[in-house]
């Protein structure tokens, strides 16, 4: 079978998680997230963000986290702003609109939002009450294009949101990858300070399922659990999520796994750059989008699975390569060998 | 008081409507649209569209008509496609999203949709089931920019929708104006043939309130009345709508009123064109968007009310002028006089 | 044609309203409720409730008012409590649920709610977060059974709601009738003091359409207009509502019309009581539910239209008779004559 | 620690599931339910129900399954009918209403629905279009009270639904327990024949998470996957569900586990009956509701965890005892010993 660079959720989970599931399997635990493991996971996250007053909820997946957060934060007439490649805009089957809220799209080159991108949207939504009220800014870190927010960028965006009475929500499906990118100067603690609400993604970073929603702004905390339950996201066996996040948070396994994924992608990126290959965006995380010619795409396809992302011209396309917590050196080396041979 | 060219709903209604309300006032009539006048109005519309099998519902306003139609037609995972200036995208406070459905926006120069505009949207929504399914094409005639669909254009769009398993819905808030534009070759009967569902707008064409939703496609007819009621649109005194549409449909008053509005706008348009003024779009209905310099805007503002629509450059802007069924010759002449004096 | 006692919206509107529509018809007025008449109507209502800080919105009908108020007040996981005959439970095609909220039903003999009715509902909804949170108490005055709240009853209910962190909402589709019932000791001012939000119904009391939503609790005021627009309830020609409520509020026409309707019903009620007829509920407003035998029902049906409400036994049923602002003495007398002859 | 009879999801999962997770962990599999294990699980279920044309979707939990099924099946104006103890009515935080649909409640002694229970609901919902349209009948098997449907009962209900144009949906959170109850004459194949849609619950029968939705009626099959994704239920690592249901379905492990749970409950039930204890309902599955005096409740509480379900009188209450796939003989014997000693 061909090795797949299609995504970061092709394998099961980190072995430590399976060991912990095995070890705890016959313990009786309380249901619905009241188990000891969920409490322990939340405690570990609060320590890492250095905010004992945050509230944390563990749910199964990213679309679920996004729709619960957004529908919980907004009043019926309020909307969310997202960069055009945003996951909520393109890959969630209208999950946000299904909860009643419009998502305004902003075109950006790198999938990131700056205050200056948002200003015109606010200006063009001033015809009260005939238009939706922008109230929440949705960003991803790392983004859907693999790019990341630097500390200064996030600070500016955070300030802008607060000055304009809007909340800032970070989709952290790949937050580990964003924070461990070699050029990143953000920390988890800083993310918690600068956002009103965010989540730590487990599914794409070594867990079987699981995202940890962290609510930093006390205004958004009351009654959040009701939304979790109403949207079908409250697992009877919450221990499944608690055990996973306990393992991921202990000894910083979460960051080690993400760093590994990034590292493997960077090796491929560097090999490609050495041969003069261009990229759709200049990324430092586990997603890279090299532009290569169709012949090479064909050759690579014989050995690996990946997505052809975007046609560039008649003879070349950008492909998307994603590495994971489990991408072995061998696969990376084999990929690089082919490149070096063919380019 | 200054005469207003701000919109086509500044006055009450055509006097014939008030007379009919007076004449019928003390009659006891059945409630909820079962009154004789509503039945009569529906009969008249069916005759004009030459389709005895259509189903017709009278509601109060355009946003209400749009949200009822769209939420009735679509399944939860389906979405609607609209040109970027579409009323449902910009001026309805997210009414469509509030019923659970995404509205996809397509940039177009003239506010109209062509099959070639829609093809790339369909192509980019093929990742089943991760994306919403485009199922309904929403168009306005006349559009929000005052432009209209010619018969051939509507035929092509209608064919395209049918070939692609999508429904075609025409927002007819200003359908009278669209059909009586001097260059129009469409008829009401043709509109009914080519769309699955549309409405005849009364509010902007001489009624106090009222839009007549016409369902041509039998697939969309069953149980429609439930949606009317559920969305709070079923008036106890349905006679108020029935009387108005009976008057508007009798003797083609509806078209006469729209033709008058168009005619007054064309007089101003021609006067401006004679002086070399450019327009945002080349329109033949009761909305015109001339680009004039700021000094002239200031002078006109002393005598008339209107919206400054869009800044063009430091010295000039497009303004929006709307004429109505009740715009008197005198106001138009006074406006033209000032133009002729100042330009 | 047979005279109808089926409802209180069989005729058009009070002649003063038509005269005011005629008189103002050619004035140009601002759209969307910013016209002088809407402002005047709101001013008059604020004076009558002696609360300059209330906020008032005019909409078309009762179901519309109910769904806008409830969806505006509640967060997604909160629900509303209603007596079992409540209009929102039985006659609005699930309009409230369509906005996402459960309506809890409480069985009561007279259609009214007391604190002791609500206590067990709160007790049985304490399994957080697995159950909806009761947050709004919905009552009608007069109720769907024609009964009314006395001042002391409303005070107790209001106190109870405030002590339990719930809002109190009064559906006033027939508020005029409730307040002018001979045994009523409530005033409009008192209603405004004791409820968080209520509306004054026009449709069932002499208007063509129209309900005036009054928001007394400042917490519920911000951004309410957005909900009006989003639900399709913001009329372009808001003057139609403004003119009607101005006429109804001037010189207390609103209360005179309701008092007339009540008076006509009481004449029939007394005539029936004199002959020993029993009633489903002891009402003092314009709805009465006498229990009569089937032979008499048949005879009355030859001369009048009305609903047979509820089968009581093989030989008798309760019928519903509704009188209106326009029910003439003649019709009432004719009805009484038949009764006196037959009983 | 005290042994818990509080529910059937206190432990992790059956060891075979963990072994299968371990064994497959490093395989790369396709995402979103396209993995080999999900395909295998669906194949096994289709074989067991003997219907190759059914469609099957694996989701995480019961509330999620219920809200996806119901919102997928119904049009906006349609509602669902449930027995009063129904999970969707009491324990899902208004999840169904949050998707826009009313749930009509029917009081029943045993938590089961019969055609004669539903007839009056249909009769009282005939005021078109002022009332919601009942379109789906929701039942649980075993029910929330531990009772079960016999084959004849389900046949009658199924026939009734088909004759009345309604769909029948079985919540099978505890379907294994229902089908393996000693008095049950239903089979999985029969359930699939008689319902339009149902699910096989894993969470309460030995899985970590997981319910398998089975769509038997072809009318309800198209596009179902969109709803799964839109509601946030499509797991990236669908393998987690596929592996579990493959293990449960292989060698009928699913039924063995449920039979064990039932058996343990029956042992307790028989011991209590021998001592003359009464029950809230006569059940044959893993939920029993004995009525015992408060002194005994106190003694039992010192050794076991369980819910006090319902106060019966000043001196006694019904308690709820739930056994599971993992309830050991020892715990059951200890419980019986105490009973035998104290009663």
């Amino acid at each position: 079978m061909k090795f797949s660079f299609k995504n970061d959720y092709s394998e099961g989970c980190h072995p430590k998680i399976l060991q912990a599931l095995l070890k705890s399997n016959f313990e009786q635990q309380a249901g619905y997230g009241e188990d000891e493991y969920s409490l322990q996971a939340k405690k570990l996250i609060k320590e890492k963000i250095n905010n004992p007053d945050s509230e944390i909820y563990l749910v199964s997946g990213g679309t679920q986290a996004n729709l619960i957060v957004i529908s919980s934060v907004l009043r019926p007439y309020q909307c969310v702003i997202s960069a055009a490649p945003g996951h909520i805009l393109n890959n969630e089957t209208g999950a946000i609109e299904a909860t009643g809220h419009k998502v305004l799209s902003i075109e950006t080159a790198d999938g990131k939002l700056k205050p200056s991108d948002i200003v015109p949207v606010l200006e063009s939504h001033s015809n009260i009450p005939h238009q939706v009220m922008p109230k929440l800014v949705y960003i991803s870190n790392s983004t859907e294009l693999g790019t990341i927010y630097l500390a200064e960028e996030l600070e500016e965006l955070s300030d802008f949101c607060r000055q304009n009475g809007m909340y800032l929500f970070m989709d952290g499906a790949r937050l580990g990858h964003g924070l461990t990118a070699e050029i990143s100067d953000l920390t988890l603690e800083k993310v918690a300070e600068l956002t009103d609400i965010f989540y730590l993604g487990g599914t794409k970073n070594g867990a079987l399922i699981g995202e940890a929603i962290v609510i930093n702004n006390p205004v958004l905390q009351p009654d959040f659990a009701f939304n979790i339950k109403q949207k079908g996201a409250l697992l009877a066996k919450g221990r499944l999520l608690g055990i996973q996040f306990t393992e991921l948070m202990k000894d910083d396994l979460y960051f080690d796994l993400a760093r590994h994924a990034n590292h493997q992608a960077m090796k491929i990126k560097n090999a490609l750059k050495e041969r003069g290959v261009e990229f759709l965006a200049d990324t430092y995380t586990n997603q890279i989008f090299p532009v290569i010619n169709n012949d090479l795409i064909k050759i690579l396809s014989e050995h690996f699975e990946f997505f052809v992302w975007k046609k560039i011209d008649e003879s070349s396309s950008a492909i998307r390569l994603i590495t994971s917590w489990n991408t072995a050196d061998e696969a990376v080396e084999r990929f690089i060998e082919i490149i070096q041979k063919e380019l």
Side-chain angles (χ1 to χ4, degrees), chain A residues 87-324:
Chain A
H87 204 263
I88 56 171
L89 271 165
N90 305 292
N91 292 91
E92 303 189 354
T93 319
I96 307 308
E97 290 86 355
T99 69
H101 301 283
K102 197 187 193 75
V103 187
L104 296 173
S105 174
I106 296 181
E107 292 296 331
T108 69
D110 56 5
K112 293 158 60 179
L113 286 179
K114 297 183 298 294
S116 60
D117 296 322
I118 301 175
V119 167
V121 172
L122 298 188
E123 286 174 354
S124 69
H125 283 79
S126 58
N127 186 16
I128 295 170
H130 297 267
Q131 296 182 294
V132 285
M133 178 196 284
K135 187 69 184 177
L136 181 68
V137 172
Y138 164 93
I139 57 174
S140 311
N141 190 33
S142 62
T143 72
E144 293 77 7
L145 300 181
T147 52
I148 65 166
Y149 284 84
L150 296 177
E152 193 184 357
E153 295 170 331
L154 191 62
E155 277 161 13
E156 279 175 19
L157 190 58
S158 180
D159 286 350
F160 177 82
C161 287
R162 285 171 190 175
Q163 285 155 17
N164 286 276
M166 294 192 295
Y167 299 114
L168 182 59
F169 167 39
M170 183 184 283
D171 173 336
R174 291 191 178 100
L175 184 53
H177 307 96
L179 296 182
T180 59
E182 57 189 270
I183 64 162
S184 173
D185 55 356
L186 263 181
T187 61
L188 195 59
E189 185 177 345
K190 197 84 184 162
V191 165
E193 266 175 52
L194 295 175
T195 62
D196 296 284
I197 190 165
F198 75 97
Y199 63 90
L200 280 155
T203 308
K204 291 173 176 170
N205 194 24
L208 285 166
I209 54 167
E211 321 289 307
I213 300 171
V214 182
I215 314 177
N216 310 303
N217 185 336
V219 168
L220 303 181
Q221 292 176 349
D223 301 334
F224 195 83
F226 287 90
N227 296 296
I228 299 274
K229 175 66 186 172
Q230 189 183 68
K231 303 307 186 200
L234 189 60
L235 295 187
K237 293 181 180 169
R239 65 199 288 157
L240 174 60
L241 296 167
I243 288 165
Q244 292 184 91
F245 272 98
T246 297
E247 291 304 311
L248 289 172
M249 288 299 122
K250 266 195 326 200
D251 311 323
D252 280 341
L253 177 64
Y254 186 75
F255 296 108
D256 293 344
L257 295 181
R259 199 175 286 112
H260 172 83
N262 289 347
H263 185 63
Q264 301 299 65
M266 289 305 101
K267 289 196 286 192
I268 298 175
K269 175 184 168 188
N270 291 334
L272 286 159
K273 283 187 87 167
E274 275 172 22
R275 304 284 160 144
V277 168
E278 302 280 335
F279 293 77
L280 268 196
D282 187 29
T283 66
Y284 295 86
T285 61
N286 69 324
Q287 299 182 82
I288 58 176
F289 298 81
V291 178
I292 56 182
N293 74 49
N294 298 344
D295 293 339
L296 180 53
I297 291 176
K298 207 180 153 199
I299 292 166
L300 287 168
S301 299
E302 286 160 19
H303 301 84
F304 299 97
E305 294 199 35
F306 52 84
F307 284 107
V308 178
W309 198 248
K310 195 180 172 179
K311 185 177 167 174
I312 301 297
D313 57 34
E314 287 311 310
S315 65
S316 66
S317 290
I319 64 171
R320 187 183 78 169
L321 301 172
I322 301 190
T323 52
S324 85

Side-chain angles (χ1 to χ4, degrees), chain A residues 271-272 275-277 292-293 296 337-343:
Chain A
L272 286 159
R275 304 284 160 144
V277 168
I292 56 182
N293 74 49
L296 180 53
E337 271 169 36
I338 297 174
I339 289 163
Q340 290 174 334
K341 183 177 148 209
E342 300 293 337
L343 286 177

